[in-house]
Amino acid sequence: MTPAIALNDGRAIPQLGFGVFQIPPGRATQAAVAAALEAGYRHVDTAAVYRNEADVGNAIRASGLPPGSVWVTTKLANADQGASTARRAFEASLERLGLDAVDLYLLHWPHERRLESWRVLEELHAEGLARSIGVSNFLVRHLDGLMARASVPPAVNQIELSPFLYGTRADTVRRCAEGGIAVEAYSPLTKGRRLDDSTIAGIAAEVGHTRAQVLIRWSLQKGFVPLPRSSNPGRIAENAAVFDFALDDRQMAALDALDEGLTTGWDPARQA
């Protein structure tokens, strides 16, 4: 069973999530989510801009799992940020998902209208429509600016994290810890770009698990909520099988030392 970690709003989030970024809408997303639920995932992360919210909702309903047993996250797109548009965008996401409420709603990026948008998220949270609220791609300065004005602090900050970015993002991770904000790690497998690294290969051989499993396990032991993504049923199941082993201190330190500032997508350091 997937462990959960406590959030600062009194709720608990399953520590391993399934990401659907860049999985095509339609059958591909539905099949991937179905495979993830079959493999034991109970946490699915989507976003309005992924254009597959409806497919996530359909797959969860088709699974036969009890209502409310799967944690669902979605995100507010940049085009919809602002006081006059954020609520309509949220309601459209709810309709596509086929839900009465979402477990977690995030500001997808630190957009220039993020403070206006956050006030809308606070209202949605107070109304029980977004049970938890948070942010994505916020670095220290973005968090500090938001928290200075917020009535409700973010429960979660979802950022890109892997051993190859860990040192670079250490200040953000530390700021989240100080604020009681859980850290979700997207692209924990570096989109495959560093799976051939010799340190990862050596540790994988030592523990008798795959390189992807080693990276996910590192993230779990750091206290993050990793969000691996795949559309391959075998790899989806493999990425979920990470609770029967542990990395020792030496192995964790070796992975920590791999930082090279690797970002595999847009870097929020460029956002004011």
Side-chain angles (χ1 to χ4, degrees):
M1 186 179 210
T2 302
I5 62 172
L7 299 180
N8 60 18
D9 59 8
R11 304 183 69 230
I13 186 171
Q15 198 185 358
L16 180 65
F18 182 69
V20 296
F21 175 55
Q22 292 184 329
I23 300 180
R27 292 181 180 177
T29 293
Q30 292 184 42
V33 174
L37 297 176
E38 178 67 23
Y41 286 90
R42 293 297 181 267
H43 173 177
V44 181
D45 180 275
T46 185
V49 296
Y50 300 170
R51 298 185 303 113
N52 54 19
E53 290 171 310
D55 305 305
V56 168
N58 288 337
I60 291 172
R61 283 187 293 278
S63 72
L65 291 167
S69 62
V70 179
W71 178 287
V72 177
T73 298
T74 194
K75 310 178 190 78
L76 178 68
N78 277 353
D80 296 316
Q81 291 219 32
S84 64
T85 50
R87 180 176 284 268
R88 288 198 301 272
F90 173 80
E91 291 169 348
S93 284
L94 269 191
E95 183 175 356
R96 289 189 291 266
L97 287 162
L99 297 172
D100 296 324
V102 295
D103 292 288
L104 178 61
Y105 196 49
L106 304 178
L107 299 184
H108 205 152
W109 294 96
H111 187 270
E112 60 186 11
R113 303 184 73 178
R114 55 189 176 267
L115 296 177
E116 296 176 47
S117 300
W118 188 254
R119 284 191 280 272
V120 176
L121 265 63
E122 290 181 331
E123 293 170 2
L124 296 169
H125 178 60
E127 295 164 23
L129 297 172
R131 298 184 182 104
S132 295
I133 55 176
V135 296
S136 180
N137 295 298
F138 275 49
L139 303 181
V140 172
R141 64 180 180 276
H142 308 131
L143 289 170
D144 285 346
L146 179 67
M147 293 175 73
R149 303 275 295 275
S151 298
V152 178
V156 165
N157 184 19
Q158 183 181 126
I159 58 176
E160 181 170 1
L161 267 179
S162 74
F164 300 91
L165 188 58
Y166 178 59
T168 304
R169 292 286 179 262
D171 58 342
T172 298
V173 171
R174 186 164 49 250
R175 183 67 185 90
C176 288
E178 292 167 354
I181 301 168
V183 174
E184 291 189 321
Y186 73 79
S187 298
L189 305 181
T190 71
K191 295 181 181 175
R193 297 183 188 181
R194 294 295 184 272
L195 286 179
D196 289 337
D197 179 84
S198 60
T199 297
I200 295 171
I203 293 172
E206 289 171 3
V207 297
H209 283 73
T210 69
R211 301 172 190 190
Q213 288 171 326
V214 166
L215 287 174
I216 295 169
R217 187 69 210 176
W218 173 87
S219 192
L220 292 169
Q221 289 182 215
K222 286 293 183 184
F224 307 146
V225 179
L227 303 168
R229 180 209 67 191
S230 178
S231 56
N232 180 298
R235 289 180 182 162
I236 290 170
E238 173 189 296
N239 292 344
V242 288
F243 299 105
D244 61 345
F245 76 104
L247 303 174
D248 63 28
D249 291 346
R250 178 188 58 80
Q251 292 163 338
M252 290 292 289
L255 293 168
D256 290 351
L258 293 175
D259 179 69
E260 58 180 78
L262 175 71
T263 56
T264 64
W266 185 80
D267 187 350
R270 292 186 278 171
Q271 175 67 48

